[in-house]
Amino acid sequence: MEKNIYANVMVMTIFIALFTLININVDWVKDSSGMGTMAKTICFNLGTVGSIALLISFAQSMFSDGKIHWLLAGIGTVCFVAAMFVFKCV
């Protein structure tokens, strides 16, 4: 019973994160001008996608057999590293 409640909350959180990513991107595209905005958008998107991937991998570890889904955790980590690299270069 308790795992089902947490699973529903995690699924709603993932959908909210995806909606936020889309909403922010649409607003930035409307207001965009120059290359700095593009780099900020890429940095934000990489950070958000990395967060979502890590969230999903940890959610799967909580609700399945307790093993971390290493592919998603790796994708999240790579996205965070790439976001830091893009942020440093700007």
Side-chain angles (χ1 to χ4, degrees):
M1 171 79 176
E2 194 172 310
K3 280 189 173 186
N4 289 335
I5 294 171
Y6 287 132
N8 290 337
V9 170
M10 293 299 270
V11 169
M12 288 188 327
T13 304
I14 292 166
F15 280 120
I16 290 169
L18 291 173
F19 178 73
T20 301
L21 180 67
I22 292 168
N23 194 20
I24 295 292
N25 281 332
V26 168
D27 286 342
W28 275 349
V29 166
K30 285 192 299 187
D31 299 334
S32 67
S33 63
M35 192 61 179
T37 305
M38 179 63 82
K40 288 179 187 176
T41 303
I42 290 171
C43 184
F44 175 78
N45 287 339
L46 286 171
T48 305
V49 169
S51 301
I52 293 169
L54 286 173
L55 179 67
I56 292 171
S57 70
F58 293 140
Q60 283 182 345
S61 71
M62 281 188 354
F63 301 121
S64 62
D65 54 0
K67 295 181 181 176
I68 294 177
H69 195 273
W70 290 108
L71 178 65
L72 284 174
I75 289 171
T77 304
V78 167
C79 286
F80 280 127
V81 170
M84 286 190 275
F85 178 74
V86 169
F87 184 74
K88 274 288 203 194
C89 290
V90 173

